[in-house]
């Protein structure tokens, strides 16, 4: 693709140190199956003015890994034009920018506490949600208005 677009300088970044060092010629390629690939990279390298291979540690390459996974899941029609992605770094998480309604002010354990007190489920609760509430209530104990969590050693945590 870079050859078709007449690119002269190429920067190749990868998160596999072995492959990057072999492509740079720093390390020898001994695996018989990889030698033809190494030779092909050398031949392609002669078509550019300069090629730089840069190692990016995996922990700093999560975005590329996510994009590669996404690309492998989508079909690509051979002759179709795909616009480049625009990626922006924001101050806050993306979900913070899309929240339009006020958050629920009730605590996370409200449904468990209500079920222990009145044996009633929330309105519009599905069968799975009801089963989950019943399962969670077995790990709690209600004394008056105070909800305690049962621990494996039979202690109660407020």
């Amino acid at each position: 693709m870079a050859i078709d677009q007449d690119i002269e300088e190429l920067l190749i970044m990868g998160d596999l140190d072995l492959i990057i060092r072999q492509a740079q010629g720093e390390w020898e390629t001994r695996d018989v199956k990889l030698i033809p690939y190494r030779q092909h990279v050398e031949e392609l390298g002669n078509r550019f003015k300069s090629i730089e291979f840069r190692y990016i540690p995996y922990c700093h390459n999560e975005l590329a890994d996510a994009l590669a996974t996404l690309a492998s899941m989508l079909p690509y029609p051979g002759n179709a034009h795909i616009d480049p992605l625009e990626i922006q770094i924001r101050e806050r998480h993306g979900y913070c920018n899309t929240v339009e309604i006020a958050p629920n002010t009730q605590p996370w354990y409200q449904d468990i506490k209500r079920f222990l007190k009145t044996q009633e489920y929330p309105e519009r609760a599905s069968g799975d949600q009801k089963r989950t509430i019943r399962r969670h209530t077995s790990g709690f104990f209600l004394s008056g208005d105070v909800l305690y969590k049962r621990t494996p050693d039979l202690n109660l945590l407020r």
Side-chain angles (χ1 to χ4, degrees):
M1 184 173 168
I3 294 171
D4 295 338
Q5 295 181 1
D6 295 327
I7 293 175
E8 296 177 351
E9 296 178 1
L10 193 61
L11 170 62
I12 300 172
M13 296 186 279
D15 59 5
L16 213 58
D17 193 34
L18 172 71
I19 301 296
I20 294 295
R21 290 181 185 262
Q22 287 177 345
Q24 289 173 328
E26 292 178 21
W27 291 356
E28 184 180 327
T29 306
R30 293 185 182 170
D31 190 346
V32 177
K33 294 178 281 186
L34 294 179
I35 291 175
Y37 292 107
R38 170 72 180 118
Q39 291 170 345
H40 187 66
V41 168
E42 286 176 3
E43 292 169 12
L44 289 175
N46 296 331
R47 296 184 176 192
F48 299 98
K49 282 186 180 177
S50 70
I51 290 186
E52 181 184 346
F53 293 91
R54 192 176 298 165
Y55 169 67
I56 306 292
Y58 182 76
C59 61
H60 298 296
N61 204 18
E62 293 167 338
L63 178 62
D65 189 43
L67 290 173
T69 301
L70 182 61
S72 70
M73 295 166 52
L74 299 174
Y76 175 70
N79 56 0
H81 173 74
I82 297 176
D83 291 326
L85 292 175
E86 181 179 335
I87 299 173
Q88 300 174 352
I89 298 175
R90 301 284 183 155
E91 296 292 322
R92 302 186 300 174
H93 292 287
Y95 61 81
C96 295
N97 296 328
T98 60
V99 174
E100 296 176 3
I101 60 172
N104 188 355
T105 57
Q106 294 181 342
W108 62 269
Y109 54 83
Q110 184 64 32
D111 294 336
I112 297 170
K113 188 174 180 180
R114 178 179 171 189
F115 185 79
L116 285 171
K117 188 180 265 186
T118 64
Q119 298 293 310
E120 294 177 359
Y121 297 104
E123 295 177 18
R124 300 182 181 159
S126 68
D128 287 341
Q129 291 168 333
K130 290 177 182 179
R131 185 174 57 248
T132 301
I133 290 171
R134 282 193 309 271
R135 187 171 42 87
H136 283 301
T137 55
S138 66
F140 291 90
F141 174 76
L142 186 63
S143 176
D145 258 359
V146 180
L147 185 67
Y148 295 94
K149 177 160 179 48
R150 300 174 200 233
T151 62
D153 57 355
L154 301 177
N155 287 330
L156 296 175
L157 300 175
R158 187 173 188 179

